Amino acid sequence: MKEYDKLADIQRDLWARSLSCSDLVDFYLARIEDHKDLNIFLEVYTEEARQKALEVDQKIEKGTAGRLAGLVLGIKDVICYKGHRLGASSQILGEFQSLFTATALQKLLDEDAIVIGHQNCDEFAMGSSNENSAFGPVRNPHDPNRVTGGSSGGSAAAVAANLCHASLGSDTGGSVRQPAGFCGVVGAKPTYGRISRYGLIAYASSFDQIGPITRSIEDAALLTEIMAGLDPHDQTSSSEKIGTYVDHTPQKDTYKIGYFEEVIQHPSLDAEIREQIEAWMERRRKEGHELVKLSFPLMSHMVPTYYVLTTAEASSNLSRYDGVRYGYRAPKAENLEELYVRSRSEAFGTEVKRRIMLGSFVLSAGYYDAYYGRAQKVRRKIQDQTHKFFAEVDFIMSPVSPGVAFNLGEKVDDPIEMYLSDIFTVHANLAGLPALAFPLGKHSSGMPTGIQLMANAFEEGELFSFSLTCKD
Ligand code: GLN
């Protein structure tokens, strides 16, 4: 089978009847089987995907197929799909099954996407390497001794290894973009509120967004366009007009692309990535775009602010997993208090417990003002300053991460070092802005490198269309 980067190419072959959805599903099922050692899928919906493929093939015959006919999709284990197990790669949900389907996923299903299974991730989407899963780490298809990034590691690795055409991940601080960068594929985090969070397991509700991971910018635009929109089930979803992301006409001939001096000069930035970024900027200059040097002294506050606020929100969101309502229940508890304590102690992993404790601490009486309250103020300053930048520039460019995918086990004992790998991605979530990660080049280690563009709120159309012009 050909290696397809764009759904449009798959559909061309489907319409020409040189390919069927059943062929596609069988192809991906065989590849999933062959790549089991990468530990990407937690569950594969073999029969169901085959059945759905037959249905879509019939629709193609009748001319009634949806916009996503031929799209074989994997979903991160934090996205609800009615009647299917949902576990957030944790032990605490046990055998829990979704009672409804996430709005974002439902919109894709309505357009005839076929879901092939759900994918491993960091437990409750907390992590940057996919090593925090209760089901073991995912291995990077480019080098199985390296991490995939996280937390949507299985989702990015699946697309990179061609085990499905696209995946749905979630991005709270970079979890779609960073693994996309580490695996050499495309990852989009839309504006906060652009895509409904209904049916997404909450990590930090004021940061979380569902986003697509794809092999092309065109497909990221297509999936974002279909998933976008107001949802009565999510009060934070936006009524802002969606527009077209797929065939968006660029509003300008040349753009102003900002970059932070603090990012380019950051001591943690790999020298080869810096060179590739500088060469990318030079190519844009030659095309007539303006590169604008910006300074962002708040840069060093970004990761601490992110971790204070997200752990606070997580400690509240995860309080619902109490051993009573979902999945795992500790045996032999003598009373209710003990049931809570034992269920949570036994079934949450180390990183999740660390964050619940940190989040409870920053919210506790006596410390609230010093930590949570102060971090909220810093977030506001970051947002205000970022808005000012967008009065001056159209996009802000940065690497996706300071380095390439690191070795498995390399950072597990050093949470601070691990948290710092999010340094370039958390900005978009703190400010609620859309950001797109796409491949930049190859590193001498053989691993892919990635670049990220962030745009102003609800400027996804401009972000996708401009990024398409600068794939080089
Ligand atoms: N790596 C970040 C974290 O651990 C981002 C996670 C995410 O975006 N879900 O919080």
Side-chain angles (χ1 to χ4, degrees):
M1 168 121 22
K2 277 190 233 169
E3 202 160 323
Y4 293 99
D5 284 343
K6 291 183 217 162
L7 181 63
D9 295 335
I10 292 181
Q11 291 183 339
R12 195 165 308 122
D13 288 351
L14 288 173
W15 300 166
R17 306 294 188 271
S18 57
L19 179 72
S20 70
C21 293
S22 298
D23 296 339
L24 280 168
V25 165
D26 285 341
F27 167 78
Y28 290 123
L29 287 171
R31 285 191 67 82
I32 291 173
E33 192 57 37
D34 284 350
H35 291 80
K36 275 201 157 153
D37 52 326
L38 299 178
N39 200 21
I40 291 175
F41 278 88
L42 295 177
E43 195 176 346
V44 184
Y45 313 142
T46 307
E47 285 318 313
E48 202 186 311
R50 284 198 172 124
Q51 184 55 37
K52 176 81 188 188
L54 288 174
E55 286 166 31
V56 182
D57 281 333
Q58 280 167 8
K59 285 188 176 185
I60 293 172
E61 278 307 319
K62 286 196 220 139
T64 57
R67 288 176 78 189
L68 298 180
L71 177 77
V72 177
L73 183 77
I75 53 175
K76 182 178 180 180
D77 192 24
V78 289
I79 294 172
C80 293
Y81 186 19
K82 191 175 176 178
H84 297 79
R85 272 187 63 189
L86 177 72
S89 288
S90 178
Q91 297 290 359
I92 202 138
L93 277 130
E95 298 295 312
F96 179 77
Q97 288 202 351
S98 295
L99 303 172
F100 58 88
T101 297
T103 302
L105 176 59
Q106 189 59 52
K107 289 184 171 198
L108 303 183
L109 293 169
D110 291 346
E111 293 291 347
D112 286 332
I114 300 169
V115 184
I116 200 157
H118 65 254
Q119 298 153 329
N120 202 348
C121 59
D122 281 303
E123 185 177 2
F124 284 98
M126 297 175 185
S128 311
S129 66
N130 218 128
E131 292 167 295
N132 297 333
S133 167
F135 304 102
V138 180
R139 294 174 176 275
N140 195 309
H142 296 271
D143 176 351
N145 293 319
R146 291 180 189 253
V147 302
T148 50
S151 61
S152 316
S155 307
V159 174
N162 206 20
L163 310 190
C164 56
H165 185 71
S167 297
L168 280 195
S170 65
D171 191 312
T172 305
S175 275
V176 159
R177 291 160 288 149
Q178 187 252 23
F182 276 10
C183 294
V185 292
V186 177
K189 187 209 82 83
T191 308
Y192 183 76
R194 180 68 300 175
I195 293 179
S196 167
R197 290 183 296 112
Y198 181 66
L200 167 67
I201 290 187
Y203 158 16
S205 310
S206 75
F207 293 74
D208 300 338
Q209 272 292 282
I210 289 176
I213 298 178
T214 57
R215 299 170 75 91
S216 66
I217 294 171
E218 287 89 337
D219 286 351
L222 175 65
L223 296 192
T224 307
E225 184 179 303
I226 292 173
M227 288 189 287
L230 184 66
D231 177 9
H233 292 303
D234 175 4
Q235 297 303 309
T236 63
S237 65
S238 172
S239 58
E240 184 81 21
K241 191 172 163 285
I242 302 168
T244 50
Y245 302 156
V246 179
D247 290 317
H248 176 87
T249 314
Q251 301 296 295
K252 299 179 183 175
D253 292 331
T254 57
Y255 285 91
K256 288 188 177 170
I257 309 159
Y259 66 94
F260 297 129
E261 190 56 3
E262 291 84 354
V263 167
I264 306 295
Q265 298 311 334
H266 203 275
S268 70
L269 181 61
D270 177 274
E272 280 182 51
I273 298 182
R274 182 179 295 118
E275 268 173 39
Q276 290 181 9
I277 287 280
E278 282 169 348
W280 185 95
M281 298 201 296
E282 196 45 44
R283 290 196 291 277
R284 302 291 84 78
R285 267 193 208 100
K286 287 202 176 118
E287 288 165 2
H289 303 295
E290 192 182 333
L291 272 295
V292 183
K293 190 199 280 189
L294 304 168
S295 177
F296 198 20
L298 290 170
M299 182 83 208
S300 59
H301 298 292
M302 219 98 81
V303 170
T305 306
Y306 169 83
Y307 276 94
V308 169
L309 295 178
T310 54
T311 54
E313 292 188 26
S315 71
S316 163
N317 275 326
L318 271 62
S319 64
R320 73 190 74 179
Y321 307 104
D322 54 7
V324 177
R325 282 172 290 190
Y326 306 90
Y328 183 80
R329 177 179 293 218
K332 296 195 223 108
E334 300 275 317
N335 55 47
L336 189 61
E337 169 91 14
E338 203 184 311
L339 175 71
Y340 290 157
V341 172
R342 287 177 66 158
S343 299
R344 289 166 67 83
S345 306
E346 288 165 18
F348 279 137
T350 309
E351 181 62 25
V352 171
K353 284 190 247 190
R354 177 163 29 234
R355 293 194 192 197
I356 292 173
M357 285 190 278
L358 183 59
S360 306
F361 173 74
V362 300
L363 286 173
S364 57
Y367 296 99
Y368 182 98
D369 289 339
Y371 293 102
Y372 184 75
R374 188 167 294 181
Q376 285 286 36
K377 289 180 191 157
V378 179
R379 183 180 195 184
R380 167 59 64 190
K381 272 185 178 295
I382 291 171
Q383 287 172 342
D384 289 348
Q385 182 61 59
T386 308
H387 279 127
K388 286 193 190 132
F389 289 135
F390 279 111
E392 222 185 306
V393 301
D394 301 296
F395 305 108
I396 295 175
M397 180 276 306
S398 74
V400 180
S401 355
V404 293
F406 40 89
N407 288 326
L408 283 158
E410 192 178 320
K411 296 190 184 186
V412 274
D413 296 327
D414 190 348
I416 304 280
E417 182 65 23
M418 190 73 96
Y419 296 168
L420 284 171
S421 62
D422 303 330
I423 187 159
F424 304 139
T425 46
V426 294
H427 188 175
N429 306 75
L430 283 161
L433 300 179
L436 180 70
F438 54 96
L440 172 65
K442 264 246 180 289
H443 191 262
S444 58
S445 60
M447 300 307 288
T449 57
I451 186 164
Q452 169 180 243
L453 287 176
M454 179 164 73
N456 209 348
F458 301 105
E459 293 289 357
E460 278 85 355
E462 288 287 272
L463 178 61
F464 287 124
S465 61
F466 173 70
S467 304
L468 266 175
T469 68
C470 47
K471 279 188 303 183
D472 19 37

